[in-house]
Amino acid sequence: MKRTYQPNKARRAKKHGFLSRTGTSKGRQVIKRRMHKGRHKLTVSDEK
């Protein structure tokens, strides 16, 4: 049986990256919340 999570960097960045977050109002809220909380990585784009 194939597992649920099949890693793919391109798909991950497209769905959860900084540009896709800033593209919607709810995504901007996510970034704002994470900044307020003090996260070092706001989105998966910061994983480098």
Side-chain angles (χ1 to χ4, degrees):
M1 180 195 320
K2 202 172 182 184
R3 294 290 106 194
T4 309
Y5 183 58
Q6 301 294 318
N8 180 312
K9 284 184 179 177
R11 191 186 308 135
R12 183 168 161 83
K14 204 161 186 70
K15 292 232 192 292
H16 310 287
F18 188 79
L19 290 176
S20 56
R21 286 283 193 234
T22 52
T24 63
S25 59
K26 292 293 183 184
R28 286 191 292 276
Q29 283 177 21
V30 169
I31 291 174
K32 187 178 166 187
R33 268 199 313 269
R34 290 179 70 85
M35 284 173 86
H36 184 71
K37 192 171 187 177
R39 294 274 189 190
H40 287 292
K41 292 186 289 191
L42 296 179
T43 61
V44 296
S45 304
D46 298 324
E47 294 176 355
K48 286 184 176 150

